[in-house]
Amino acid sequence: MLKKQHIKTGSNEPSKNSFSEKEKEFLDLICDFLVDDIFKKLENAKKEGDRLCEDQ
Amino acid sequence: MQKKKVIGYARISNEDQSHFLIEGQQEEFEEYCFKHNYELLYTFTDEGQSAKDFDRREWKQLEQYLKINYKEVDYLLVMKYDRFSRNVQQALNVIAQLEEEYNIKILSIAEPIGLPPESPFYFQLRTQVLRQAHVERLIIKDRTLFGMQKAKKDGRYLGQAPYGYKNGRDYDKKPTLEVIPHEADIVRKMFNWYLDGYTQAEIKRMAEPLGFTKKGNACIFRILSRKVYIGLVKIPAYKDEPEKYINGIHQPLVDDKTFYRVQALINRKNQAKSQYNDIAYLKSVLICPKCFKPLTCGKSKDRNKYYWYYECTTHRKSHSIEVAHEKFNDILSEISFSHSQLEYMKEEFRRKSEIRHKENKDRLPDIPYVVQLLYIKWKILKKSTF
């Protein structure tokens, strides 16, 4: 059975900023997604709020 | 004795390796008719048309002509049978139609069979000639495909250049793509606009004043999803080799990161459109390993219960959801992030959030705003409850 493994880094326990280019790209992509997602939700909340305020 | 009347048909295709020119064929017709005392009524000429079928411009005109004037015509003259057709099945059908319906015989100048057309051996010999022409077409097709495949494997983009590029030739006079600077700028802007949240229709409207002239609703989508812009060339499936992308020799217009972020955004929007299914929750998330299209879901029923499955609409290959979910969970259980990776992401997330917040301050709610919003929502809730 396969053991739990980290995303491959080229070393057993990588220190900070010792990631490979590919790995860094992958982590950046996840961050981008998270930031995109959260800010989209916040923007939508603002839009919805504006609409509610107008209705009031 | 009345002169026999004939019409000529000359053809040359782009890929043909025969050495006939249209003018040469016409001259041969005239010479042949003079020699045999025939009257050449008209010559139809198809230039750049393949003989794989009869869907050719001038051939259709010829058919129209015969529909009206077939009584006046005795023979249809061709230089060789391969000028007439390189498709045995269709050729025999057309010959039967010409002979039985219109009583017109085909004469091939370069392949005099030397037998009366009524003879059974005439049919046999003619079929052999047509079969040879058919085989030649298959060989030409195979050779062309092989050549194209080879060129693509060398990283050459074949076919009409996509927007932002023009077709050019390199030092070896082989095809390549050359960047058109102002169009390339527009392409880059389109990718960035899409990431900024503009819709495809908005992007089209914004690009038009800059000189973008492509028409159609899907033109922006086509640009945003073409891998040629990150320097890749598509190699279609050929014989046993599956379809794949390789690095091309042309200059990319967009960096990989931007391109794949745009693809993720496009996919996410498409997923949002497809209805979420509680049971088959990986619908539109899983993709077909053959065509990379998102899988859809379905269910079949026996006497007692429903059986759910994921399915590729193109390949009609279905997978049980239980098995798919189990495998998916296995993959999830094998992925974890190391402490340093988590730390890096935390830092990056903070940094990117701060930048984004500064850029979009006006479009985001602040704390007093959220409090006010909650108060309004509470009021609405109170109204509807009591």
Side-chain angles (χ1 to χ4, degrees), chain B residues 162-166 178-192 212 223 229 251-254:
Chain B
Y163 187 79
Y165 293 103
K166 62 178 177 183
E178 288 170 11
V179 175
I180 304 175
H182 75 275
E183 286 188 4
D185 276 346
I186 295 174
V187 171
R188 285 187 203 104
K189 278 185 179 134
M190 283 175 175
F191 275 86
N192 290 328
F212 182 71
I223 287 178
Y229 293 123
Q251 190 189 330
L253 300 186
V254 183

Side-chain angles (χ1 to χ4, degrees), chain B residues 277 279-280 296-302 305-311 321:
Chain B
N277 187 306
I279 299 167
T296 182
C297 69
K299 60 184 173 182
S300 58
K301 191 189 174 194
D302 74 355
K305 64 181 246 188
Y306 283 109
Y307 293 92
W308 285 83
Y309 55 85
Y310 292 112
E311 188 183 48
I321 62 162

Side-chain angles (χ1 to χ4, degrees), chain B residues 98-109:
Chain B
L98 288 174
E99 291 184 349
E100 286 161 23
E101 251 180 71
Y102 301 147
N103 198 22
I104 295 171
K105 301 266 184 297
I106 298 182
L107 291 179
S108 165
I109 295 178

Side-chain angles (χ1 to χ4, degrees), chain A residues 23-55:
Chain A
E23 187 188 3
K24 203 163 159 292
E25 215 169 277
F26 178 69
L27 297 175
D28 283 347
L29 201 65
I30 295 174
C31 291
D32 288 339
F33 269 125
L34 291 173
V35 173
D36 270 350
D37 203 45
I38 288 172
F39 277 80
K40 243 295 107 92
K41 278 181 183 152
L42 283 171
E43 281 172 22
N44 286 342
K46 174 96 171 9
K47 273 184 204 165
E48 193 198 338
D50 288 346
R51 261 203 308 275
L52 281 173
C53 288
E54 273 174 29
D55 291 346

Side-chain angles (χ1 to χ4, degrees), chain B residues 24-87:
Chain B
Q25 293 181 49
Q26 283 171 324
E27 279 169 23
E28 289 285 338
F29 292 160
E30 282 162 17
E31 205 175 302
Y32 185 86
C33 289
F34 179 74
K35 209 166 134 188
H36 291 82
N37 199 25
Y38 292 159
E39 184 186 345
L40 183 62
L41 297 174
Y42 194 80
T43 301
F44 294 87
T45 55
D46 262 324
E47 203 157 349
Q49 303 278 307
S50 164
K52 65 178 180 185
D53 53 31
F54 284 90
D55 189 16
R56 308 171 212 150
R57 202 179 46 250
E58 280 278 307
W59 180 265
K60 285 180 180 165
Q61 298 282 333
L62 183 149
E63 282 180 333
Q64 287 300 322
Y65 177 85
L66 285 185
K67 258 185 197 172
I68 302 163
N69 304 300
Y70 68 94
K71 284 180 185 165
E72 291 172 20
V73 182
D74 295 296
Y75 298 121
L76 170 64
L77 211 55
V78 290
M79 190 64 209
K80 276 181 84 176
Y81 271 106
D82 64 7
R83 304 297 89 208
F84 168 66
S85 175
R86 285 188 187 275
N87 183 325

Side-chain angles (χ1 to χ4, degrees), chain B residues 86-129:
Chain B
R86 285 188 187 275
N87 183 325
V88 182
Q89 198 183 5
Q90 290 188 15
L92 291 176
N93 285 339
V94 174
I95 291 171
Q97 191 197 7
L98 288 174
E99 291 184 349
E100 286 161 23
E101 251 180 71
Y102 301 147
N103 198 22
I104 295 171
K105 301 266 184 297
I106 298 182
L107 291 179
S108 165
I109 295 178
E111 296 152 331
I113 290 174
L115 287 168
E118 299 78 28
S119 159
F121 295 107
Y122 185 92
F123 176 80
Q124 191 188 15
L125 288 173
R126 184 168 60 191
T127 315
Q128 273 177 13
V129 174

